[in-house]
């Protein structure tokens, strides 16, 4: 690698000059029996077993053999600017930049060196500088004296407790009580391979497009997969324009301090209903009467599916308001506008939301997790608390994006409403029965018996008794609440006399209980 130009304008130590060269040409310097210069990216000198790590002097406290410490987000600049002398432009001062693209801060680290590079060389160097900081992971390992040949700048491979291996570059060594302690960083050799793509000429005209936004739809809905049987929410994501390539999801509990949750490169269709979906009380069959027209923009498209594809769960679902539906047909009306028909309504226990739709409801495509939708796990203590989320496109500043908020209610854990309530009046004490539903996957076909897992820590129900059909109306007084641990309970003759219901129709709501979120969705019925 040629040193094309190096200016030393004042008396300085040899070390300061070597440190400057090392920062741009990525080599390490170590003094032992002589002065060694070791280029970064070399082969690993040795592989250390996990049992060889974490050596401790007699009587000392056993340390973590391989503690891994990630560089804090605020310690890594959002951008590095390298100022140098451009050898392709008569050694005029020039600056090359490297951006992290996704960052929660706006800082720029300025590096000035009195050295000459081509523009491509300078861009390669600044890209390496930023990548080296962004992926830095530190650790400290303690070894026995048998490894005394290892020196700073050596590259080793350390084995973790689960068999994972880590390529480490040693930075500093200390020795005490027969224990060698090394400070080290993760050494990613790919950091040193950068294309250094930069402009080599002056364009006649440059058109700068506005940065595309990242649109989020925060969804507190029933879980879509058994692996997501946790407190949490879903986030559907789409880009604002065709130029959108990458976004990041940041979250906050106070609306001030944000942390990066995940990065996103895929999209789902998100939009608004332009017509109102009609009521459906027809049960578990296709609704061939109602349709709904949705606008999803011109970036995403919706597709039609066969009946078998829908019934086997291979087609995506859609959230319309709070109801999850499937659709056989997606008919293009105009650019970005589709009419959905042949609807399978009230999926995933949302039959309670199949009536009462209103105009301009939210719409989102519920693809499998990873395809434009993310499941965001939460702790149980987060339920009921306001949370803030920002979708930040590549190149956008976190501060330039308006936060969206949600108060999670734990709908992923909420039991579905029971079905098929019955009252047996053959005896003086009336016996009420019902059938539970499960949030988890069931087995209905095959050589093994039908299996519907409970999905809860224990089986429990609460049954509210009402005096009249006002059971479906909020605020109607509850005459009595009966608890049960099976799909049946007894409403005794004495209780009916006390309640004044006699042997007339029983108006009730039946809830399955969750140990995490309490009552599930109610079955409201009369018998």
């Amino acid at each position: 690698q040629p040193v094309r130009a190096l200016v030393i304008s004042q008396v300085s130590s040899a070390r300061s000059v070597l440190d400057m060269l090392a920062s741009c040409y990525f080599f390490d310097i170590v003094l032992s029996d002589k002065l060694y210069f070791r280029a970064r990216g070399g082969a690993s000198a040795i592989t250390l077993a996990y049992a060889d790590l974490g050596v401790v002097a007699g009587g000392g406290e056993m340390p973590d053999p391989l503690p891994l410490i990630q560089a804090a987000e605020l310690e890594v600049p959002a951008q590095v600017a390298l100022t140098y002398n451009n050898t392709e432009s008569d050694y005029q001062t020039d600056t090359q930049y490297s951006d992290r693209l996704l960052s929660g801060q706006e800082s720029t680290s300025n590096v000035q060196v009195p050295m000459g590079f081509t523009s491509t060389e300078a861009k390669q160097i600044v890209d390496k500088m930023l990548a080296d900081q962004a992926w830095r992971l530190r650790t400290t390992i303690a070894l026995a004296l048998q490894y005394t040949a290892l020196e700073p700048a050596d590259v080793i491979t350390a084995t973790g407790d689960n068999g994972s291996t880590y390529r480490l570059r040693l930075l500093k060594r200390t020795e005490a009580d027969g224990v060698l302690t090394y400070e080290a960083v993760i050494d990613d050799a790919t950091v040193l391979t950068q294309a250094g793509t930069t402009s080599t000429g002056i364009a006649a005209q440059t058109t700068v497009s506005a940065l595309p936004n990242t649109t989020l739809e925060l969804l507190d809905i029933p879980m879509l997969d058994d692996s997501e049987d946790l407190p949490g929410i879903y986030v559907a994501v789409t880009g604002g324009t065709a130029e959108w390539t990458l976004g990041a999801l940041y979250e906050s509990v106070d609306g001030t301090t944000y942390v990066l949750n995940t990065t996103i490169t895929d999209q789902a269709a998100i939009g608004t209903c332009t017509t109102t979906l009609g009521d459906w009380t027809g049960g578990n069959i296709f609704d061939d009467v109602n349709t709904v027209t949705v606008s999803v923009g011109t970036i995403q498209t919706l597709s039609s599916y066969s009946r078998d594809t829908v019934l086997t769960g291979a087609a995506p679902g859609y959230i319309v308001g709070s109801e999850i539906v499937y659709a056989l047909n997606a008919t293009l009306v105009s650019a970005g506008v589709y009419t959905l028909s042949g609807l399978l309504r009230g999926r995933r226990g949302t039959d309670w939301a199949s009536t009462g739709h209103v105009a301009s409801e939210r719409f989102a495509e519920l693809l499998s997790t990873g395809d434009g939708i993310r499941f965001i796990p939460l702790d149980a203590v987060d339920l009921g608390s306001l949370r803030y989320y920002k979708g930040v496109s590549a190149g956008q500043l976190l501060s330039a994006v308006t936060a969206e908020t949600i108060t999670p209610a734990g709908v992923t854990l909420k039991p579905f409403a029971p079905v098929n309530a019955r009252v047996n009046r053959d005896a003086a004490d009336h016996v009420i029965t019902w059938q539970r539903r499960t949030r988890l996957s069931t087995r209905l076909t095959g050589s093994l018996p039908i299996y519907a897992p409970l999905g809860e820590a224990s089986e429990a129900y609460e049954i509210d008794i009402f005096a009249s059909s006002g059971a479906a109306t909020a605020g109607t007084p509850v005459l009595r609440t009966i608890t049960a641990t099976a799909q049946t309970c007894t409403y005794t003759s004495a209780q009916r006399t006390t309640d004044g219901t006699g042997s007339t129709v029983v108006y009730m709501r039946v809830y399955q209980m969750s140990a995490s979120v309490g009552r599930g969705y109610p079955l409201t019925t009369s018998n």
Side-chain angles (χ1 to χ4, degrees):
Q1 300 180 61
V3 178
R4 302 184 186 277
L6 170 61
V7 178
I8 303 176
S9 59
Q10 59 185 4
V11 177
S12 58
S13 66
R15 175 169 182 162
S16 65
V17 175
L18 291 175
D19 284 342
M20 181 171 58
L21 288 167
S23 68
C24 293
Y25 288 96
F26 296 91
F27 61 86
D28 292 308
I29 310 168
V30 60
L31 176 64
S32 55
D33 60 315
K34 62 182 73 173
L35 197 61
Y36 289 93
F37 299 83
R38 296 197 174 100
R40 295 270 303 275
S44 174
I46 191 173
T47 298
L48 300 176
Y50 185 70
D52 293 336
L53 308 177
V55 174
V56 63
E61 184 178 351
M62 180 64 69
D64 183 349
L66 191 62
L68 297 175
I69 303 173
Q70 176 70 52
E73 168 76 12
L74 295 179
E75 294 178 359
V76 183
Q79 182 185 69
V80 173
L82 176 66
T83 301
Y84 66 105
N85 299 111
N86 191 335
T87 61
E88 298 171 316
S89 184
D90 198 24
Y91 291 86
Q92 296 298 307
T93 301
D94 191 13
T95 302
Q96 294 291 340
Y97 297 89
S98 184
D99 293 276
R100 287 172 61 193
L101 296 183
L102 297 174
S103 174
Q105 57 174 323
E106 306 172 18
S107 62
T108 297
S109 175
N110 296 293
V111 179
Q112 297 181 349
V113 292
M115 299 178 65
F117 306 109
T118 67
S119 58
T120 298
E121 289 170 343
K123 187 65 168 70
Q124 289 175 334
I125 291 170
V126 73
D127 284 346
K128 293 175 187 178
M129 288 178 172
L130 182 60
D132 196 36
Q133 294 182 65
W135 296 106
R136 180 158 294 180
L137 202 65
R138 292 184 174 273
T139 188
T140 301
I141 59 175
L143 303 177
L145 289 177
Q146 70 189 80
Y147 296 107
T148 190
L150 293 177
E151 296 181 333
D154 284 342
V155 175
I156 65 169
T157 302
T159 305
D161 60 347
N162 61 354
S164 301
T165 57
Y166 302 88
R167 177 185 165 97
L168 303 176
R169 178 163 49 89
L170 304 181
L171 299 180
K172 180 181 178 181
R173 183 178 80 175
T174 57
E175 180 180 346
D177 299 326
V179 178
L180 299 173
T181 302
Y182 293 89
E183 295 179 12
V185 293
I186 291 290
D187 187 69
D188 186 353
T190 62
V191 165
L192 304 176
T193 305
Q194 301 292 336
T197 303
T198 186
S199 174
T200 57
I202 300 176
Q205 181 177 356
T206 300
T207 301
V208 180
S209 300
L211 290 172
N213 292 321
T214 297
T215 301
L216 305 179
E217 187 66 54
L218 306 179
L219 304 169
D220 195 6
I221 59 175
M223 69 176 187
L224 303 177
D225 187 89
D226 286 3
S227 64
E228 296 152 357
D229 187 17
L230 302 164
I233 62 171
Y234 292 90
V235 180
V237 181
T238 194
T241 67
E243 287 74 29
W244 186 93
T245 58
L246 177 69
L249 179 67
Y250 284 84
E251 62 181 347
S252 171
V253 296
D254 57 10
T256 302
T257 303
Y258 284 83
V259 296
L260 176 65
N261 182 286
T262 185
T263 55
I264 305 160
T265 58
D266 39 70
Q267 304 178 59
I270 298 174
T272 305
C273 298
T274 60
T275 62
T276 302
L277 180 58
D279 292 347
W280 176 249
T281 56
N284 197 27
I285 61 174
F286 281 93
D287 177 4
D288 293 320
V289 176
N290 295 296
T291 65
V292 62
T293 300
V294 299
S295 175
V296 297
T298 57
I299 307 303
Q300 300 301 314
T301 60
L302 302 180
S303 301
S304 297
Y305 300 92
S306 69
R307 185 176 293 260
D308 287 344
T309 302
V310 170
L311 293 176
T312 56
Y318 307 104
I319 187 78
V320 178
S322 295
E323 182 184 4
I324 296 178
V325 305
Y326 288 84
L328 297 176
N329 310 306
T331 304
L332 182 64
V333 177
S334 59
V337 179
Y338 294 83
T339 295
L340 303 180
S341 60
L343 306 175
L344 195 57
R345 306 281 300 269
R347 301 295 90 192
R348 302 299 303 158
T350 61
D351 43 312
W352 62 271
S354 60
T355 60
H357 286 276
V358 297
S360 302
E361 287 184 310
R362 66 178 179 180
F363 173 86
E365 185 179 22
L366 302 179
L367 300 166
S368 58
T369 297
D371 292 333
I373 190 167
R374 294 291 189 277
F375 177 68
I376 309 300
L378 301 173
D379 294 327
V381 295
D382 296 327
L383 301 181
S385 299
L386 186 67
R387 299 183 70 83
Y388 302 79
Y389 291 90
K390 288 188 177 185
V392 182
S393 301
Q396 273 187 325
L397 297 177
L398 179 66
S399 59
V401 178
T402 301
E404 298 189 35
T405 60
I406 188 172
T407 303
V411 176
T412 53
L413 301 178
K414 196 167 184 175
F416 296 170
V419 294
N420 298 332
R422 297 288 186 269
V423 178
N424 186 334
R425 295 183 174 84
D426 289 343
D429 293 340
H430 293 174
V431 178
I432 303 172
T433 59
W434 57 87
Q435 291 178 303
R436 68 171 175 85
R437 290 192 291 173
T438 179
R439 298 177 295 110
L440 303 179
S441 299
T442 59
R443 182 176 61 236
L444 300 177
T445 61
S447 58
L448 297 175
I450 293 175
Y451 175 62
L454 179 63
E456 311 301 333
S458 61
E459 188 169 5
Y461 305 90
E462 288 186 356
I463 304 90
D464 287 345
I465 305 297
F466 297 84
S468 67
S469 58
T473 304
T476 301
V478 177
L479 297 178
R480 150 184 329 272
T481 297
I482 304 172
T483 60
T485 56
Q487 297 169 67
T488 183
C489 70
T490 300
Y491 188 23
T492 67
S493 175
Q495 290 171 336
R496 296 198 314 277
T497 299
T498 300
D499 298 340
T501 56
S503 59
T504 59
V505 175
V506 177
Y507 300 97
M508 58 186 168
R509 282 184 180 175
V510 183
Y511 302 86
Q512 186 172 2
M513 303 298 294
S514 163
S516 301
V517 297
R519 287 183 166 187
Y521 289 104
L523 164 62
T524 302
T525 185
S526 59
N527 276 271

